[in-house]
Amino acid sequence: MTDTRRLAPDDDPEESPTVRALAHAGSHEELILGSRAYCREATREYDLDVEFSLLDWAVSTRAKRRAAAVKRPKIPAATVGEPMDWAAAAERTGTDRDDLRTCTLSLTWRAFESFDAGEWTATLRHELVHVEQFQRYGTTDHGEAFRERAAAVDATVRCPPFADPKYVLTCADCGAVVGRRYRKCKLVRERQRYRSSCCGASVACSGTDERDR
């Protein structure tokens, strides 16, 4: 697994300690721990009804188009807006009730590398709405109810795309990659404020032109 050092301000009053820790995640395990901690924080802040004991976590290194996804059992006749009778569904499908109710939040590593902290936390809130819907109705979609709930938790209906980064930030001393961004975000515009986590050196940025300097 690639050792990617992530970049963030040492002291940013606009970010919670949870978000700052998440921004520095450098392994799959740290990504899950940080994302899970943020999601618990978000459920309290936005009053999301999510039962974490029924939510598993995974990291995907293969997904190319989905920043994250909720993987869930397919329950016949489940409809958003109609509360699920989980006992009846378990009996009907011959599946253990808790197994039927358990879903997995799969996080795409490449998307995490490409997104800034705000984009990633918005992605997590988007997926939490899917989890909330599934745990309540046995299914989820991007319909009107989802759009209204996503707006209430400050998340877009469609997660932003991710691709090969437009900007690559490197340590000026050793050349290690310390950040990847696909748009001109705060890290790119104000990179003079930052120092690399490896050498404490200034940061160089490829993909910029003279107007960016």
Side-chain angles (χ1 to χ4, degrees):
M1 182 167 51
T2 302
D3 178 17
T4 302
R5 300 173 176 85
R6 297 184 60 77
L7 208 62
D10 291 333
D11 296 295
D12 187 344
E14 296 180 358
E15 290 182 356
S16 71
T18 301
V19 174
R20 288 201 298 271
L22 176 58
H24 284 284
S27 67
H28 292 184
E29 293 77 12
E30 289 174 349
L31 175 57
I32 289 175
L33 288 172
S35 296
R36 184 164 54 200
Y38 173 76
C39 284
R40 289 184 180 276
E41 188 176 282
T43 57
R44 294 190 295 270
E45 179 179 354
Y46 294 95
D47 196 27
L48 284 152
D49 185 15
V50 172
E51 189 170 344
F52 282 91
S53 64
L54 296 173
L55 179 60
D56 291 336
W57 298 79
V59 174
S60 171
T61 57
R62 300 179 64 182
K64 295 181 179 180
R65 295 188 177 183
R66 299 179 304 181
V70 174
K71 299 181 178 181
R72 55 190 171 82
K74 305 299 182 183
I75 304 175
T79 303
V80 172
E82 297 182 8
M84 172 60 61
D85 183 339
W86 288 102
E91 183 176 355
R92 186 169 64 249
T93 60
T95 307
D96 178 82
R97 178 176 173 175
D98 283 350
D99 288 345
L100 191 65
R101 295 177 65 201
T102 298
C103 58
T104 299
L105 179 44
S106 178
L107 311 172
T108 300
W109 180 256
R110 190 178 174 199
F112 172 67
E113 287 187 314
S114 298
F115 290 179
D116 62 28
E119 289 163 334
W120 184 251
T121 52
T123 295
L124 293 176
R125 294 194 300 275
H126 173 111
E127 299 305 329
L128 283 174
V129 176
H130 281 308
V131 175
E132 182 182 59
Q133 281 196 336
F134 171 73
Q135 291 184 348
R136 183 174 299 170
Y137 306 123
T139 190
T140 182
D141 57 25
H142 287 115
E144 182 178 355
F146 182 92
R147 293 194 295 271
E148 291 179 356
R149 192 67 170 127
V153 304
D154 193 24
T156 59
V157 174
R158 297 292 179 183
C159 291
F162 62 95
D164 292 336
K166 182 176 181 180
Y167 303 101
V168 178
L169 297 105
T170 56
C171 172
D173 276 2
C174 71
V177 174
V178 293
R180 298 177 175 87
R181 295 294 183 267
Y182 68 88
R183 65 181 181 84
K184 192 188 298 183
C185 63
K186 183 179 179 181
L187 285 180
V188 175
R189 294 192 305 268
E190 302 179 17
R191 59 192 176 277
Q192 296 84 358
R193 293 180 51 208
Y194 298 83
R195 290 294 179 269
S196 65
S197 57
C198 48
C199 302
S202 60
V203 174
C205 183
S206 64
T208 57
D209 57 31
E210 289 302 318
R211 290 171 295 179
D212 297 320
R213 298 180 189 282

